[in-house]
């Protein structure tokens, strides 16, 4: 290409686009599974959040998007903007593949930076089996994006590394994440080393255009399964300082399948990352989270919530994919990664109901005690639930039908130290392909004397849970009945006491 490719957008174009987006949103508004307060694409397909950045006091969310169909293909960057991180306004597609460019087969994931006042997107450009790094600069409103004439700015992965290559010839090398350190830009890229494991590569540059390969930041071991298997390739790496440590988050990919999220806490020094702990961050629906720092100094994480209904159902629905709410990252006194909803999420709270504590102990060994609450129901809720430390399995019932045939359970089992979301009755008869395990379980070790604290965000088909501020589990559920809106609590097989429930309609 001789000419830089630019999307020229006039005011009427923008207005027209927003009318179309609003009409699309209206079409899906009453669907049983369409979230009401989690971000979804106006229509069609969405996957990873991209280019998260605060710019002139507004938050920008770009995302992997197929603007013409509700399945993954032909990746573009969709775009939305928000004043408060919770109410988003649709903006036109920011980046599209260019017929003769290095991104002709897709504009894959990447990030946004402020290059001395110039908004700049750094993304994965895909042409056939080639994954390269390209760059585009924006106007001050972040609406017009001009691709660099010299794209790609990184044309080949580093040689002599035996990077993971699949039979179609693809060398897996994608998802640049860039930040400024001193007078140079630093970039990490996700990859894998054949027969070794997931790998993070580092580059540096004085100007975002000329990049020098600096070596691997971290190489995983795909033969180790304890404490968690880290797979053969890492997508969407995130590396950031937090407290007195550095956190590394990777999305584990293996043989064409997106798996789950891993978070490490450790030290980053001289271009090498040394994890001191490696844990699952979420093995539910969430994938490819991205983080950014806002002007208040908050490290905010937003992830993609994959659909867990079959592809046909997604196509019939006309849309696919949702984002998590924005979560603020911190480290606790024990150096564990903690996630708190950003304060702005409270703006979404409407009618509030609070229920004081009561005993939930089962009358006899092995029995279950359950309690539903009149007037406490809905499919778009925030719940803060605290159970005193006991011996019984305790939990919350969500999306429960009047006869109990349909329900979803979020539970904690103290005996096995397991937090779970049980979806075996989340849709009568299950869902088949794409559904994943009906019961999603993750380990949660409580500290001595610690109660069980569940922060739950329910939004039609979306469930996000963070237990005790540090253990995350997300899921999608697709109950068939419109009256599956009941909420309750339960305990099984021992001593249990509910300390409190706070519930807000959202
Ligand atoms: C993660 C991912 C990225 C890639 C993008 C393509 O979900 O596979 O590695 O850049 O999605 O849409």
């Amino acid at each position: 290409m001789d000419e830089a490719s630019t999307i020229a957008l006039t005011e009427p174009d923008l207005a027209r686009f927003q009318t179309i987006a609003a009409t699309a949103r209206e079409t899906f508004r009453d669907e049983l599974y369409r979230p009401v307060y989690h971000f979804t694409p106006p229509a069609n397909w969405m996957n990873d959040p991209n280019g998260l950045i605060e710019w002139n006091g507004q938050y920008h969310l770009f995302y992997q998007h197929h603007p013409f169909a509700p399945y993954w293909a032909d990746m573009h960057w969709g775009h939305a903007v928000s004043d408060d991180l919770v109410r988003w306004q649709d903006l036109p597609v920011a980046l599209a593949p260019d017929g003769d460019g290095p991104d002709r087969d897709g504009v894959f994931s990447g990030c946004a930076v402020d290059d001395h006042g110039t908004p700049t997107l750094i993304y994965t450009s895909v042409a056939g089996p080639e994954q390269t790094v390209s760059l585009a600069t924006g106007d001050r409103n972040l609406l017009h994006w001009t691709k660099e004439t010299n794209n790609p700015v990184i044309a080949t992965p580093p040689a002599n590394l035996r990077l993971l290559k699949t039979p179609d010839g693809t060398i897996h090398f994608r998802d640049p994440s860039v930040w400024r350190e001193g007078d140079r830009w630093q970039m990490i890229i996700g990859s894998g080393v054949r027969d070794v494991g997931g790998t993070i590569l580092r580059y540096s540059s004085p100007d975002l255009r000329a990049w020098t390969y600096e070596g691997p930041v971290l190489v995983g071991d795909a033969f180790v399964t304890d404490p968690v298997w880290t797979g053969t390739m890492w997508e969407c790496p995130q590396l950031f300082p937090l407290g007195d440590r550095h956190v590394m988050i990777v999305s584990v990919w293996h043989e064409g399948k997106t798996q789950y999220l891993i978070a490490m806490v450790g030290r980053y020094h001289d271009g090498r990352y040394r994890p001191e702990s490696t844990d699952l961050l979420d093995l539910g629906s969430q994938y490819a989270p991205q983080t950014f720092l806002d002007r208040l100094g908050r490290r905010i994480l937003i992830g993609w919530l994959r659909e867990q209904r079959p592809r046909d159902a997604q196509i019939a629905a006309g849309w696919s994919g949702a984002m998590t709410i924005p979560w603020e990252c911190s480290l606790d006194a024990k150096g564990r990664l903690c996630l708190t909803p950003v304060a702005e999420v409270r703006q979404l709270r409407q009618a509030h109901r609070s229920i004081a504590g009561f005993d939930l102990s089962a009358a006899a060994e092995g029995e279950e005690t359950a309690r539903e609450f009149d007037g406490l129901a809905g499919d778009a809720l925030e719940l803060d639930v605290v159970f005193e430390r006991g011996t019984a399995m305790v939990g919350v019932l969500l999306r429960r039908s009047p006869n109990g045939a349909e329900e979803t359970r979020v539970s904690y089992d103290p005996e096995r130290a397991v937090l779970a979301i049980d979806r075996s009755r989340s849709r009568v008869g299950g869902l088949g392909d794409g559904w994943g395990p009906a019961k999603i379980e993750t380990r949660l070790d409580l500290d001595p004397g610690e109660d069980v604290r569940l922060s739950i965000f329910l939004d039609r088909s979306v469930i996000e849970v963070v237990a005790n501020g540090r253990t995350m589990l997300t899921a999608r559920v697709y109950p068939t009945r419109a009256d599956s809106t009941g909420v309750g609590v339960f305990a099984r097989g021992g001593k249990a006491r509910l300390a409190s429930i706070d519930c807000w309609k959202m």
Side-chain angles (χ1 to χ4, degrees), residues 47-48 64 72 75 108-109 174-175 235-236 258 287-288 304:
N47 55 297
D48 316 356
Q64 288 287 280
W72 185 91
M75 281 298 109
F108 279 19
S109 288
R174 57 181 173 272
D175 311 333
E235 298 187 305
C236 303
T258 59
Y287 198 72
W304 166 40

Side-chain angles (χ1 to χ4, degrees), residues 60-118:
H60 288 263
L61 162 67
F62 301 86
Y63 52 90
Q64 288 287 280
H65 186 37
H66 185 352
F68 313 120
Y71 50 79
W72 185 91
D74 199 22
M75 281 298 109
H76 290 57
W77 276 33
H79 187 188
V81 66
S82 173
D83 292 328
D84 58 12
L85 284 166
V86 289
R87 278 171 282 248
W88 296 93
Q89 195 191 1
D90 292 306
L91 293 176
V93 158
L95 297 174
D98 263 310
D100 54 353
D103 57 16
R104 63 175 173 272
D105 290 319
V107 182
F108 279 19
S109 288
C111 61
V113 295
D114 177 352
D115 180 14
H116 304 96
T118 303

Side-chain angles (χ1 to χ4, degrees), residues 437-459:
K439 194 162 182 182
I440 309 166
E441 297 191 330
T442 198
R443 193 164 175 94
L444 167 59
D445 290 301
L446 296 179
D447 294 336
E450 200 182 18
D451 291 335
V452 180
R453 289 183 287 113
L454 303 175
S455 167
I456 300 175
F457 291 89
L458 169 69
D459 194 0

